[in-house]
Amino acid sequence: MRVVMRLAVTCLCVCLVISADRPAVAGAWLYPAGKGQLILATSFAGARNAYGPNGRLVATPPYRKLEARAYLEHGLTDWLTLVAEGSAMHFRAAPAPYDRAELLIAEAKAGLPLYAPPAAASAYQGLGLGAAGARLKLLESGDYVFSVEGSLRTASREARRFIDMREGVQVDARLLMGRQYSLFGLPGFLDAQIGFRSAGQNGGEMRLDLTAGLRPFEGVTLMGQSFSAAAPRVARSGAVTEQKFQLSAVYEVTPSLLVQFGGVAALGGVNAPAERGIISALWWRY
């Protein structure tokens, strides 16, 4: 039974390890017509454990992944911003365990030739997610802004094995709210996004992304972020939820060129990998 549970968690984790989350810097605000930004980001992450059906850590086959992403926001008008994203990845996981003795016994009872296939590692290298969509401003009042965003996401059949995407086309729709604020005289911002994403590996998913930013020094912004996902449809080994936290700093080299460094960790979840990693990004604003 323990082996079966471990196999189920392993399979779920392979589907979730490259979940193609939204870019960390996307927010409720829109760009003026003709203005925008291009973000080139890389991340290196891995895990040796996962949060099982009861939310407790269990050992799973380790994996490592390297992902490069390009994200573009461009203001078509003052109330409509176009968004696009593309990625490439390199992923490798150790072989998943299985009970060879039980397999041989089952084959013997069925009168089949005795054969236990060797465990094979999972690996992929190539293009990942491709996405395009738009953000529409609903309301701007004082320090608040409200908008909606929708995008279409796609990936090859082979890449979808390592992305939280069951079908060739996926829809992501969300409501966004942003607010400017001041803390002890320091400028900052809050961004909240609630959405729905179709055709995940375990069906439709509810998404909640939260970001808090603070500018303690001229040219430096600190960001704390939370990324949550939950699949209402119950998978074979139970519900699937993810909870990732990210801390990063963004430094303005020039008004149009910025660099970002940080770390990300999954501090909780159900049937999800306990992933840790580092991120870096180069922003170009025009």
Side-chain angles (χ1 to χ4, degrees):
M1 183 64 182
R2 180 178 296 178
V3 172
V4 173
M5 181 177 295
R6 191 178 180 193
L7 277 170
V9 173
T10 300
C11 293
L12 283 167
C13 290
V14 168
C15 294
L16 291 171
V17 290
I18 301 180
S19 59
D21 290 333
R22 289 171 54 83
V25 296
W29 290 269
L30 283 75
Y31 276 91
K35 301 292 184 179
Q37 70 176 359
L38 173 66
I39 302 170
L40 304 177
T42 60
S43 63
F44 179 76
R48 293 181 174 272
N49 300 291
Y51 297 100
N54 58 4
R56 297 180 180 178
L57 284 174
V58 297
T60 55
Y63 71 82
R64 292 181 178 180
K65 66 173 182 178
L66 175 65
E67 187 175 14
R69 305 171 71 180
Y71 177 74
L72 176 68
E73 294 179 303
H74 177 77
L76 188 63
T77 69
D78 290 346
W79 50 269
L80 183 66
T81 292
L82 302 181
V83 297
E85 181 183 357
S87 70
M89 69 182 79
H90 182 276
F91 170 81
R92 185 170 182 82
Y98 65 91
D99 194 321
R100 294 182 175 225
E102 288 187 3
L103 178 61
L104 292 172
I105 292 172
E107 290 176 339
K109 289 181 178 180
L112 299 173
L114 300 183
Y115 173 69
S122 297
Y124 175 76
Q125 181 173 334
L127 294 178
L129 170 76
R135 186 180 311 133
L136 175 67
K137 182 189 296 183
L138 295 179
L139 173 67
E140 187 169 7
S141 177
D143 295 331
Y144 290 87
V145 60
F146 295 87
S147 58
V148 292
E149 182 175 315
S151 60
L152 295 178
R153 302 153 53 89
T154 187
S156 68
R157 182 184 298 273
E158 185 177 6
R160 291 201 303 273
R161 296 172 52 223
F162 304 94
I163 297 177
D164 187 20
M165 184 182 296
R166 188 178 69 243
E167 299 176 1
V169 176
Q170 190 177 55
V171 176
D172 185 287
R174 56 185 63 207
L175 174 66
L176 307 89
M177 184 276 288
R179 183 199 174 192
Q180 303 281 355
Y181 74 97
S182 178
L183 180 64
F184 302 116
L186 302 176
F189 70 92
L190 299 172
D191 181 78
Q193 306 179 19
I194 183 170
F196 175 81
R197 184 176 295 174
S198 69
Q201 294 289 353
N202 295 286
E205 300 171 349
M206 300 302 297
R207 295 264 167 171
L208 177 63
D209 297 345
L210 304 173
T211 299
L214 188 65
R215 192 180 178 93
F217 310 105
E218 184 66 26
V220 177
T221 300
L222 304 180
M223 292 195 300
Q225 297 171 281
S226 169
F227 304 102
S228 305
R233 193 184 80 177
V234 177
R236 181 173 299 179
S237 59
V240 177
T241 62
E242 283 188 286
Q243 181 69 60
K244 290 185 179 181
F245 293 91
Q246 181 171 301
L247 294 175
S248 64
V250 181
Y251 174 68
E252 296 180 9
V253 181
T254 70
S256 59
L257 183 64
L258 304 87
V259 293
Q260 178 185 13
F261 296 98
V264 60
L267 301 183
V270 174
N271 293 320
E275 187 177 277
R276 304 288 189 274
I278 57 175
I279 64 163
S280 63
L282 182 67
W283 305 9
W284 173 56
R285 290 175 174 169
Y286 60 89

